Amino acid sequence: MAFDIRIKRVYEPAETSDGQRVLVDRLWPRGVSKEKAALTLWLKEIAPSNELRHWYNHMPERWDEFRKLYAKELDGNPEPLRELGALLEHGRVTLLFSSHEERLNNAVALAQYLKDRE
């Protein structure tokens, strides 16, 4: 069964087509109310560690290494993956992130990690 995963900035309006909305950042996004976020779940435990997040600093030349290091962190942290997997079994899940970088961020890396392990 293929997972139905979408990725979206938390600052974009919530839509019914988002399915379950899961914030995958460690920090709450600035200027977003809980009502506007319309979250199913804030899964901050699945986000990259503070050390990894600071090291990566959205530097494109570190993307490949970031993905490898983040995958290792995810491998060692199965509980949030189980929570997310349970949601994915029930349909579409939209992974929400707050970064201005829309192509190289933790939500993109997480979605790829999940797809690689389906």
Side-chain angles (χ1 to χ4, degrees):
M1 176 179 118
F3 292 141
D4 187 357
I5 300 172
R6 303 291 164 95
I7 301 167
K8 186 175 187 178
R9 283 192 82 216
V10 70
Y11 299 102
E12 295 176 37
E15 300 171 316
T16 55
S17 63
D18 291 340
Q20 307 223 39
R21 292 170 51 89
V22 180
L23 179 62
V24 294
D25 285 351
R26 190 166 297 278
L27 305 174
W28 187 262
R30 288 186 187 144
V32 176
S33 68
K34 292 189 186 214
E35 293 77 30
K36 184 180 176 197
L39 298 181
T40 304
L41 180 65
W42 179 16
L43 199 53
K44 58 185 160 187
E45 300 83 12
I46 208 165
S49 66
N50 283 327
E51 296 80 14
L52 182 55
R53 188 172 55 84
H54 288 291
W55 171 81
Y56 174 48
N57 199 28
H58 296 287
M59 297 173 75
E61 63 273 15
R62 293 183 177 174
W63 173 246
D64 290 336
E65 187 66 15
F66 168 78
R67 284 185 53 225
K68 290 176 194 167
L69 293 170
Y70 184 34
K72 282 185 182 178
E73 287 186 355
L74 291 168
D75 288 343
N77 191 15
E79 186 53 37
L81 288 169
R82 276 194 284 274
E83 282 186 70
L84 187 54
L87 292 177
L88 285 163
E89 289 177 7
H90 294 98
R92 177 173 295 158
V93 172
T94 297
L95 302 177
L96 301 169
F97 66 96
S98 60
S99 172
H100 292 287
E101 172 53 68
E102 295 193 29
R103 295 180 313 106
L104 307 177
N105 62 64
N106 64 299
V108 171
L110 176 59
Q112 189 61 55
Y113 175 91
L114 294 168
K115 288 177 182 176
D116 289 347
R117 284 154 182 79
E118 273 187 78

